[in-house]
Amino acid sequence: MQSLPETGPVRFREVLSHFASGVVVVTAVVDGTPLGLTCQSFTSLSLDPPLVLFCPAKTSRSWPLVSQAPHLCINVLSTEQQALSDAFARSGSDKFAGVDWSPTPAGAPALAGAHAHLEASVRDVFEGGDHWIVTCTVSALDAAPDLAPLLYYRSSYRALGEGGPARV
Ligand SMILES: Cc1cc2nc3c(=O)[nH]c(=O)nc-3n(C[C@H](O)[C@H](O)[C@H](O)COP(=O)(O)O)c2cc1C
């Protein structure tokens, strides 16, 4: 094992990429405009109360706006949605151009074709180095069990496959 100071951030990031995860897009409507950003740093936090968390970078231009919205939607992406994932990762672009969505009960954008949706509201925001740690209370949810999850592993999109996560 190498000590981190010797290896530096590139190696740190490379080793972290060995942790496979799903991909979510966090969306909200702010002043009538839908906004969002792609996140891999999403996890369930608590069952009772129903809490989840995600970690937006302090450099994000969308998060300061999205954080003002009373309600968010956490969209768990499905296998066919890697283009959507990339679109919501492009800072400064019109991320919702051509994107099909419908409002959650409280009006946050639920992306069509997602594997699951969680409507939530921000509970706490904690400082976490170059990112924020955002905890949210879930207020509504649904899932599409006939779809499959989009995975992200070693810096590329993957899909569940018989022989393990296959590139998509
Ligand atoms: C697969 C994937 C996972 C990502 N995960 C995160 C994340 O967990 N946290 C984060 O801040 N940015 C993450 N990003 C990058 C953001 O999506 C991107 O920096 C952001 O959307 C830029 O737009 P903004 O400036 O409008 O926020 C990820 C990007 C991709 C493609």
Side-chain angles (χ1 to χ4, degrees):
M1 185 178 284
Q2 306 153 293
S3 75
L4 195 53
E6 276 166 36
T7 59
V10 174
R11 175 68 178 148
F12 180 47
R13 200 180 182 128
E14 194 217 336
V15 171
L16 285 176
S17 77
H18 290 69
F19 176 76
S21 79
V23 181
V24 303
V25 170
V26 179
T27 57
V29 172
V30 179
D31 299 334
T33 305
L35 299 171
L37 70 155
T38 301
C39 272
Q40 179 187 20
S41 54
F42 168 79
T43 182
S44 60
L45 175 60
S46 157
L47 293 180
D48 184 14
L51 306 177
V52 295
L53 79 77
F54 63 91
C55 306
K58 290 181 178 174
T59 52
S60 167
R61 292 164 59 178
S62 298
W63 170 245
L65 301 170
V66 167
S67 66
Q68 304 308 312
H71 301 285
L72 314 176
C73 185
I74 297 166
N75 301 270
V76 180
L77 298 189
S78 62
T79 315
E80 304 308 317
Q81 296 187 308
Q82 60 266 31
L84 205 65
S85 174
D86 287 339
F88 279 89
R90 249 177 248 117
S91 192
S93 65
D94 177 5
K95 299 181 179 185
F96 268 87
V99 173
D100 185 12
W101 62 275
S102 53
T104 64
L111 302 179
H115 195 24
H117 300 105
L118 299 137
E119 179 194 79
S121 49
V122 174
R123 178 182 164 119
D124 279 307
V125 178
F126 302 100
E127 212 276 332
D130 57 15
H131 282 60
W132 299 106
I133 303 163
V134 179
T135 67
C136 296
T137 308
V138 176
S139 49
L141 40 68
D142 68 18
D146 53 334
L147 297 176
L150 180 65
L151 305 177
Y152 200 66
Y153 171 64
R154 297 186 70 179
S155 308
S156 67
Y157 294 111
R158 310 288 179 123
L160 290 177
E162 294 312 313
R167 282 182 194 277
V168 287

